[in-house]
Amino acid sequence: MIRENLPALQVVIPLMAAPICILFKNGRAAYGIALAATLFAFGAAISLLTQVLGVGPISYELGGWAAPWGIEYRVDYLSGFVLVLVSGMGVVVQLFSPASIKREIDEEKHYLFHCAFLLCLTGLLGIVITGDAFNVFVFLEISALSSYILISLGKHRRALTSAYQYLIMGTIGSTFILIGIGLLYMMTGTLNMADIAARIGPVATTRTVLAAFAFFTVGVSIKMALFPLHLWLPNAYAYAPSVVTAFLAATATKVAVYVLIRFTFTIFGEHFAFEETPVATLLMPLALIGIVVASSIAIFQKSVKRMLAYSSVAQIGYIVLGVSFVSVTGLTGGIVHLFNHALMKGGLFLAVACVVLRIGSDRIDDFAGLGRRMPVTMFAFVVAGLSMIGVPLTVGFISKWFLIQAAIEKGWWPVAALVLLSSLLAVAYIWRVVEIAYFRKPPEGEDRITEAPVSMLLPMGALILATIFFGLNTEATAGVARQAAEYLMGAVR
Amino acid sequence: MDYFGLYNYWIVIFLMMTGFYIVISRDNLIKKLIGLNIFQTSVFLLFITMGKVKGGTAPIINHHFDTYSNPLPHVLILTAIVVGVATMAVGLSLVVRINEAYHTIEEDDIHLVEEEP
């Protein structure tokens, strides 16, 4: 019974748990509920992914109404993979959060934090699992609205203006996506993704469908902070509470990339998306410029969170680059990097959260001497940083390997060279932090600073171990990613 | 092509651009939100318009009629309206908090305050 309805429960359990958190009005009780719901979501996601790997894609009819009339939930290789990623990051961040939010969020708002966190998780999981285009918009707004709230919980008053800015940009983005979905519905008369894909053929070259695709692509580019539509991201990440930053950086933009992949490959089809329209020739330069420009800006930031935020914009560039190759290898690279970047950026932001807990600041100068004072945290930072650079034995290497391979397959040597060169920019910004933390003397009278509590070190350590584990054992991630890429490319008509 | 017959779509585009322009050009945070709301409303109208069937009546079964408008876009827009209301509510409450923190809701003034050390 539970197993059959797992796709629905995947979304419904966190959704139902959110208002229960409000009813208790108590931080501890709310935390218990949120943790239980997130753990359940993680378990459900793993179970769904193993089912998909065993027997192929699962289709679930919500309320017993058959698709295309009813809403269909659909788990295939890609969505199963992203579900595990999102819910897994949810579990890590939830385990990590108690000590961190105690310092960064007022005690009486804790239950609200857990409620908003669960809603955000619900939205993200919903976007990934649904097979209905309009449903994507609804879940997109659920996750977006709750992430505005999460960001505005930051202590600094700038958190409010950043959340406001994100709200304006995010709403424009999702309204663009809604227009795109509307125009698609106009031409095909259906909202089910598989059904749209089946009916779009005869009308694919009409101006309405082209407009739909244009609106959709711009909207989703805002959502995933593709350069040059990334302006909301650095402030939002810099001023949000540290755990929120870690969670959003690891999941929210990744899910937006998922939406891009899902719509371009499954709905519009790669033939339409990349041959009838110049999207690939548009996405690739933007991705490359984004990688170089955002990495360069990252080098000059004074706040570590902000630096990592700009690095996130660059990393989105790598993922989109992988997608824009329109080949199985490229797409595999994009999907693998989507997963890997979530692990390492999650790890980096959690390490920064540990530092913020102890010294109350994320300014790069305040990191002086932390290599001695907080050895475990800084070690985690270094390992995740190495992965960000793409050093072998870490996950970052795997993604870059696939991306470079995809570029060479196409014979685009300059792109391959640029991917390699941009790693040097990552060396520059990661090294700045490492240098100050390990080689600069701490200011006088700062002997009180000690290592972060074990409750935070363990989840962070788990992520760091994962970056190495999946760097050595590529079969788990790259295997599934390749399967997903082949399935997406094969879904072409 | 019958351009005038599709006048609803002209209204949609006009409203959409009006809202978008307000979002971009205004400094006042509340005016920006109103612009955003107009922008969203234009999309509601777009959906409702495409649900109209020529000669069709309201989609309530009645043996006097045999042509009905498509009810699905109406239902979708009910959801989208709820989303719009929620966005507006969150946006306005953020503006209230910004006003408490900065004592102004003009974007330029907020930037000025931020630049002071």
Side-chain angles (χ1 to χ4, degrees):
Chain A
M1 178 66 186
I2 284 188
R3 201 178 159 79
E4 277 164 33
N5 291 315
L6 216 48
L9 291 174
Q10 172 87 74
V11 178
V12 169
I13 295 285
L15 181 66
M16 288 296 151
I20 297 178
C21 286
I22 298 267
L23 289 179
F24 275 97
K25 287 219 169 195
N26 171 313
R28 270 169 191 280
Y31 177 63
I33 295 163
L35 187 61
T38 320
L39 279 170
F40 173 85
F42 187 45
I46 289 186
S47 159
L48 284 173
L49 181 64
T50 35
Q51 275 187 57
V52 170
L53 290 176
V55 297
I58 306 169
S59 168
Y60 177 84
E61 291 159 359
L62 216 59
W65 294 87
W69 294 279
I71 291 172
E72 181 195 17
Y73 276 10
R74 205 176 158 74
V75 191
D76 62 9
Y77 301 104
L78 179 62
S79 45
F81 191 54
V82 180
L83 281 177
V84 170
L85 169 70
V86 170
S87 53
M89 289 307 301
V91 169
V92 171
V93 170
Q94 272 290 1
L95 288 173
F96 181 92
S97 69
S100 183
I101 60 170
K102 201 168 178 183
R103 162 130 194 182
E104 293 184 46
I105 302 174
D106 297 335
E107 191 82 37
E108 73 269 15
K109 286 186 193 153
H110 279 186
Y111 72 101
L112 293 172
F113 164 81
H114 291 299
C115 171
F117 181 91
L118 280 175
L119 283 176
C120 190
L121 183 72
T122 306
L124 296 171
L125 292 172
I127 297 169
V128 177
I129 205 170
T130 189
D132 183 276
F134 190 76
N135 229 238
V136 169
F137 165 74
V138 175
F139 280 122
L140 206 61
E141 282 292 23
I142 292 178
S143 68
L145 285 169
S146 42
S147 56
Y148 309 146
I149 295 167
L150 287 173
I151 290 167
S152 70
L153 284 171
K155 278 254 178 197
H156 197 287
R157 61 180 176 178
R158 272 205 190 175
L160 298 169
T161 44
S162 319
Y164 181 86
Q165 199 189 5
Y166 183 21
L167 181 134
I168 298 285
M169 293 283 277
T171 305
I172 291 174
S174 48
T175 307
F176 268 36
I177 293 174
L178 181 62
I179 297 171
I181 293 169
L183 294 176
L184 267 182
Y185 176 70
M186 200 182 217
M187 295 311 286
T188 57
T190 175
L191 287 166
N192 182 283
M193 288 183 188
D195 208 26
I196 298 178
R199 287 160 184 252
I200 204 171
V203 292
T205 46
T206 55
R207 200 174 288 175
T208 315
V209 172
L210 285 174
F213 190 53
F215 270 116
F216 168 78
T217 311
V218 174
V220 85
S221 299
I222 295 178
K223 279 281 173 194
M224 67 187 179
L226 178 68
F227 180 87
L229 299 169
H230 65 279
L231 293 173
W232 58 268
L233 187 140
N235 277 335
Y237 281 15
Y239 296 110
S242 307
V243 279
V244 173
T245 310
F247 181 66
L248 291 182
T251 56
T253 44
K254 307 297 170 298
V255 167
V257 177
Y258 166 85
V259 175
L260 176 79
I261 297 177
R262 174 61 70 212
F263 271 68
T264 41
F265 285 91
T266 308
I267 295 189
F268 289 100
E270 51 160 36
H271 172 72
F272 168 77
F274 295 110
E275 285 168 34
E276 300 280 339
T277 65
V279 163
T281 44
L282 194 69
L283 283 183
M284 181 170 291
L286 287 182
L288 288 172
I289 298 172
I291 291 171
V292 175
V293 172
S295 302
S296 313
I297 299 175
I299 298 175
F300 298 102
Q301 295 307 311
K302 290 199 185 83
S303 137
V304 178
K305 267 180 164 179
R306 231 181 141 76
M307 177 195 95
L308 293 176
Y310 274 107
S311 144
S312 272
V313 176
Q315 303 295 322
I316 289 293
Y318 286 113
I319 302 175
V320 172
L321 178 70
V323 174
S324 68
F325 281 126
V326 203
S327 67
V328 172
T329 320
L331 201 54
T332 308
I335 296 168
V336 164
H337 195 54
L338 188 148
F339 184 85
N340 292 346
H341 176 241
L343 289 185
M344 51 205 192
K345 197 44 79 55
L348 284 169
F349 272 124
L350 288 187
V352 175
C354 288
V355 173
V356 173
L357 177 85
R358 284 300 185 226
I359 64 175
S361 146
D362 69 322
R363 278 189 40 237
I364 198 160
D365 291 331
D366 295 342
F367 273 56
L370 281 185
R372 292 263 168 73
R373 305 253 186 273
M374 307 178 71
V376 184
T377 305
M378 285 321 292
F379 179 70
F381 190 94
V382 170
V383 173
L386 287 176
S387 180
M388 191 62 73
I389 295 162
V391 174
L393 304 186
T394 60
V395 283
F397 175 71
I398 310 294
S399 352
K400 292 214 169 125
W401 175 257
F402 274 108
L403 289 178
I404 291 172
Q405 229 182 345
I408 293 173
E409 246 174 39
K410 295 247 171 185
W412 296 340
W413 292 97
V415 176
L418 210 59
V419 170
L420 279 177
L421 280 177
S422 62
S423 304
L424 291 180
L425 293 171
V427 174
Y429 60 72
I430 295 292
W431 175 251
R432 272 180 76 219
V433 179
V434 173
E435 187 187 4
I436 289 177
Y438 281 93
F439 300 112
R440 195 182 285 180
K441 284 225 165 72
E444 293 296 315
E446 290 285 342
D447 301 335
R448 301 169 286 111
I449 296 170
T450 48
E451 188 52 81
V454 182
S455 67
M456 293 167 84
L457 292 180
L458 282 181
M460 180 178 69
L463 268 190
I464 301 302
L465 279 183
T467 59
I468 295 176
F469 175 77
F470 289 116
L472 294 171
N473 179 6
T474 55
E475 204 40 49
T477 48
V480 179
R482 178 166 287 273
Q483 225 165 340
E486 276 166 3
Y487 183 74
L488 286 170
M489 300 288 287
V492 101
R493 283 152 305 278
Chain B
M1 288 283 275
D2 177 14
Y3 282 104
F4 187 68
L6 300 174
Y7 66 91
N8 256 28
Y9 291 105
W10 290 110
I11 299 174
V12 169
I13 302 290
F14 178 74
L15 275 179
M16 194 182 284
M17 291 305 122
T18 312
F20 206 30
Y21 177 75
I22 297 173
V23 174
I24 295 169
S25 66
R26 293 297 115 170
D27 260 348
N28 186 305
L29 297 184
I30 290 186
K31 285 184 184 169
K32 258 186 200 291
L33 278 179
I34 301 293
L36 198 66
N37 208 261
I38 295 174
F39 178 64
Q40 284 181 310
T41 309
S42 76
V43 183
F44 303 163
L45 191 61
L46 173 74
F47 270 76
I48 301 295
T49 307
M50 72 175 86
K52 172 70 182 166
V53 174
K54 217 169 196 174
T57 175
I60 302 164
I61 293 179
N62 184 317
H63 60 88
H64 293 298
F65 304 103
D66 50 4
T67 321
Y68 301 103
S69 286
N70 182 356
L72 184 67
H74 303 180
V75 182
L76 297 182
I77 285 319
L78 273 181
T79 315
I81 288 173
V82 174
V83 169
V85 170
T87 312
M88 196 68 179
V90 174
L92 286 175
S93 47
L94 276 175
V95 175
V96 170
R97 293 276 312 278
I98 290 175
N99 190 34
E100 284 169 5
Y102 289 90
H103 304 294
T104 175
I105 53 167
E106 295 290 329
E107 215 172 23
D108 283 351
D109 296 344
I110 292 174
H111 286 310
L112 281 180
V113 176
E114 282 303 342
E115 275 160 24
E116 289 164 14

